[in-house]
Amino acid sequence: MGRQKKTRKFAEVKRMIDKKKLPAGKNDGNKKKEGKAVEQAVRHVEKASSALYFKYNTQLGPPYNVLVDTNFINFSIQNKLDLAKAMMDCLYAKCTPCITDCVIGELEKLGGKYRLALRIAKDDRFKRLTCTHKGTYADDCLVQRVSEHKCYIVATCDRDLKRRIRKIPGVPIMYITQRKYSIERMPDAFGAPKNG
């Protein structure tokens, strides 16, 4: 006995035909509607920073300005690292730690447990940067300052802040690993992790 030949029913064939696969003349009405939707969705692309040469930041050079986050100071104290000296050991150049008003405000809010970190942050060796925005959330302040001026290295141990800063091209991140400072996205620095 041979196999019975099955023919497809008309409804099954009709479902397989997609409107987009029809010849150009039969689908013109839908294209006009799609064209209007495309015109309405205008995309705004950010201008590329003039400080960047491809992904290399030309504004970075000694003496380095390092924006310090709240938890970076706390972890430096836990690992018994002097901020200015350890930064110089990492970068082999003069470093100016910069602390914003928001970071000082966060340290004051943390209370007496972090008074040593507050005393270190108010040291004369550190450059104090004033904030003009509302609120005292330090992460937003650092991200905003770095996106406006790409002349800073950001020192932080906060995962969320690192993730946000990695999205901004040309901004290196300093962090603590194995009781010393290391730097990310700055290949010519001594403290950069070696590949290979």
Side-chain angles (χ1 to χ4, degrees):
M1 296 200 178
R3 275 181 90 180
Q4 187 179 10
K5 197 173 186 182
K6 253 188 170 179
T7 56
R8 288 187 177 172
K9 294 181 181 167
F10 177 72
E12 289 177 4
V13 175
K14 189 173 179 183
R15 268 188 243 125
M16 287 177 54
I17 298 173
D18 192 34
K19 288 182 180 179
K20 292 180 183 176
K21 293 180 182 175
L22 289 176
K26 295 182 180 177
N27 200 14
D28 288 341
N30 292 339
K31 284 186 179 178
K32 289 177 185 175
K33 291 176 186 175
E34 289 175 11
K36 290 179 182 177
V38 172
E39 289 175 15
Q40 291 174 356
V42 178
R43 294 183 185 151
H44 296 284
V45 180
E46 278 190 37
K47 276 189 171 181
S49 175
S50 61
L52 297 176
Y53 179 73
F54 294 108
K55 286 187 176 180
Y56 184 76
N57 192 347
T58 56
Q59 284 187 350
L60 282 175
Y64 295 107
N65 293 319
V66 183
L67 275 176
V68 181
D69 189 27
T70 311
N71 58 14
F72 190 79
I73 298 171
N74 294 332
F75 280 109
S76 295
I77 293 168
Q78 286 177 7
N79 289 309
K80 297 177 182 168
L81 293 167
D82 178 30
L83 254 76
K85 186 176 180 293
M87 283 179 190
M88 287 177 145
D89 291 344
C90 176
L91 293 172
Y92 276 158
K94 187 172 189 267
C95 297
T96 309
C98 302
I99 296 181
T100 61
D101 291 340
C102 295
V103 172
I104 298 283
E106 262 190 15
L107 284 169
E108 287 171 350
K109 282 182 185 176
L110 288 173
K113 190 177 177 184
Y114 297 97
R115 65 177 173 268
L116 179 61
L118 183 62
R119 191 185 309 160
I120 288 172
K122 289 183 175 178
D123 192 4
D124 293 337
R125 296 179 294 173
F126 298 173
K127 188 177 178 182
R128 186 79 176 266
L129 302 172
T130 55
C131 298
T132 56
H133 59 83
K134 294 178 181 176
T136 58
Y137 188 56
D139 291 3
D140 289 340
C141 174
L142 295 176
V143 168
Q144 177 192 359
R145 193 173 289 270
V146 163
S147 19
E148 288 174 5
H149 313 286
K150 295 196 184 335
C151 60
Y152 295 109
I153 296 171
V154 179
T156 185
C157 296
D158 185 10
R159 281 192 186 137
D160 295 331
L161 182 59
K162 277 187 193 178
R163 195 175 297 125
R164 286 174 67 183
I165 290 174
R166 282 187 191 116
K167 292 177 184 173
I168 305 168
V171 179
I173 302 168
M174 187 179 282
Y175 57 95
I176 299 172
T177 179
Q178 298 172 358
R179 294 193 175 269
K180 63 180 182 178
Y181 292 167
S182 185
I183 195 151
E184 180 181 307
R185 288 165 49 170
M186 196 167 167
D188 52 341
F190 170 72
K194 306 294 181 237
N195 295 336

